[in-house]
Amino acid sequence: MVASTLVVRVARKAKEARDICSFELVATENGTLPAFSAGSHVDVHLLGGLVRQYSLCNDPSETHRYAIAVLRDPASRGGSLAMHDVVKEGDTLTISAPKNHFTLAHDAKTSLLLAGGIGITPILCMAERLAKLGDEFTLHYTARARDRMAFIDRVQRSSFADKVVLHFDDGAAEQRLDINAVLSGAKTGTHLYVCGPKGFMDAVLNSARAHGWPEAQLHWEFFAADITARAGDRPFEVQIASSGHVIDVPADQTVVQALLRAGVDVMVSCEQGVCGTCVTRVLHGEVDHRDVYFTSEEQERNDQFTPCCSRAKSSRLVLDL
Ligand code: FES
């Protein structure tokens, strides 16, 4: 199913921290926007066909605006630079309706929210919701330095400020986030929500698993997968099950690119293994998963993959196309 799109106006663009801008998006006709739940994101359509996902960071009870924040990443393929350098107040943008792959668990007795850098955006929205519900939670927010910490004033003035612990990588050793201590000290039944750079997320999730946290209590959202070509990437083949057609995937192309070259169009959005738009069933062969969309259990099942970024360990994959 294709999500509906909306046209919104950039009502406000503001610098929130070094290299981080926030954008307030409102309906073009002064109307209300579709409701969203904590953890939701929208796809933002940019010039040149780029589509990027940004988490909503405002209170999910608001219907008059969507707030997003974008980290300027010079290594990106243009999404964050376009948002910083091209998009300005008064512009209109086409976005998707909100989608949520990072929902709050309703049965959580208590929640532990961990945000690294720009990963604060969905976490802040979750904190707003949990605070409104009166639920028990703690938010640990870590950044490289104070001037890189977006929304610090908002957090400190919020109704949940007493539940927030701030950490700075360049600060005194005793205030830095000790992931192992936080995770090993959590109450049984706590649900963990984590968002931030890949290294931070890996460290948190690996530590949680090492401390025996049940998989069902771990929730995460990556911003962008590390899908740059890896040394040692090899060519392989994909076979279209319905036609028997075999297509070569060169070492320097993605499966989606190779399929397109052969006239087979797979719908994509993020092209980074984040959104799940391109998910395709795999009938035979061994997948080399490069996405962050599936859980590790789903990846192990080896029956579907994200052809925008994932590859093959075997010489051929047979796809249910
Ligand atoms: Fe988003 Fe492939 S297009 S996961």
Side-chain angles (χ1 to χ4, degrees):
M1 190 177 72
V2 180
S4 58
T5 56
L6 310 165
V7 177
V8 291
R9 183 168 52 81
V10 180
R12 185 167 178 270
K13 176 180 179 181
K15 183 171 178 177
E16 296 293 343
R18 178 154 36 131
D19 292 336
I20 297 177
C21 270
S22 66
F23 299 81
E24 190 177 308
L25 311 176
V26 298
T28 46
E29 303 288 331
N30 286 332
T32 56
L33 293 163
F36 66 100
S37 51
S40 294
H41 69 270
V42 290
D43 298 339
V44 177
H45 296 253
L46 295 163
L47 285 177
L50 280 178
V51 180
R52 289 293 174 263
Q53 285 72 39
Y54 297 110
S55 296
L56 300 181
C57 59
N58 51 314
D59 183 332
S61 65
E62 294 180 347
T63 55
H64 68 291
R65 63 172 189 154
Y66 295 146
I68 59 174
V70 180
L71 171 68
R72 182 187 183 87
D73 177 6
S76 85
R77 289 176 297 165
S80 74
L81 298 187
M83 290 299 292
H84 273 257
D85 299 341
V86 180
V87 175
K88 56 187 189 314
E89 286 182 4
D91 284 356
T92 52
L93 288 174
T94 299
I95 65 171
S96 70
K99 308 175 197 179
N100 201 340
H101 302 148
F102 189 37
T103 53
L104 286 168
H106 293 295
D107 59 344
K109 290 191 190 69
T110 177
S111 302
L112 180 59
L113 311 180
L114 299 188
I118 190 66
I120 189 63
T121 49
I123 296 291
L124 204 43
C125 188
M126 289 176 156
E128 297 276 8
R129 177 68 184 152
L130 293 170
K132 196 150 273 181
L133 291 171
D135 285 1
E136 188 180 330
F137 73 96
T138 305
L139 162 55
H140 289 268
Y141 180 13
T142 184
R144 280 158 61 191
R146 198 175 183 88
D147 69 341
R148 290 183 176 277
M149 186 171 264
F151 304 117
I152 192 165
D153 291 342
R154 174 177 159 190
V155 167
Q156 290 181 323
R157 282 189 275 105
S158 69
S159 62
F160 52 86
D162 59 335
K163 300 180 191 305
V164 181
V165 188
L166 304 179
H167 308 270
F168 303 97
D169 292 352
D170 66 349
E174 60 274 12
Q175 59 76 56
R176 287 189 206 136
L177 177 60
D178 182 341
I179 292 171
N180 284 318
V182 167
L183 292 174
S184 61
K187 278 190 207 166
T188 307
T190 299
H191 279 248
L192 170 69
Y193 302 86
V194 56
C195 189
K198 185 163 179 357
F200 170 72
M201 313 247 322
D202 285 347
V204 170
L205 293 169
N206 289 341
S207 173
R209 291 181 178 120
H211 285 98
W213 281 64
E215 210 54 46
Q217 288 165 223
L218 306 181
H219 312 270
W220 64 90
E221 179 144 277
F222 282 90
F223 271 90
D226 175 11
I227 55 151
T228 47
R230 295 180 191 169
D233 276 352
R234 287 178 297 117
F236 56 97
E237 295 172 340
V238 289
Q239 182 171 19
I240 308 295
S242 59
S243 64
H245 186 186
V246 176
I247 296 157
D248 290 322
V249 183
D252 62 351
Q253 278 189 8
T254 66
V255 175
V256 163
Q257 288 166 341
L259 288 171
L260 191 60
R261 198 170 33 85
V264 181
D265 203 357
V266 174
M267 194 189 296
V268 292
S269 177
C270 72
E271 297 183 76
Q272 299 176 94
V274 174
C275 70
T277 302
C278 66
V279 166
T280 302
R281 288 212 328 133
V282 176
L283 303 177
H284 295 289
E286 196 182 352
V287 176
D288 179 2
H289 290 284
R290 305 271 176 99
D291 66 281
V292 291
Y293 176 74
F294 293 122
T295 62
S296 29
E297 281 88 2
E298 287 169 334
Q299 290 187 344
E300 273 160 31
R301 285 207 287 274
N302 194 57
D303 58 358
Q304 52 186 343
F305 85 141
T306 53
C308 67
C309 63
S310 294
R311 302 186 65 81
K313 289 183 180 162
S314 51
S315 58
R316 180 180 289 187
L317 296 177
V318 181
L319 306 182
D320 187 16
L321 290 173

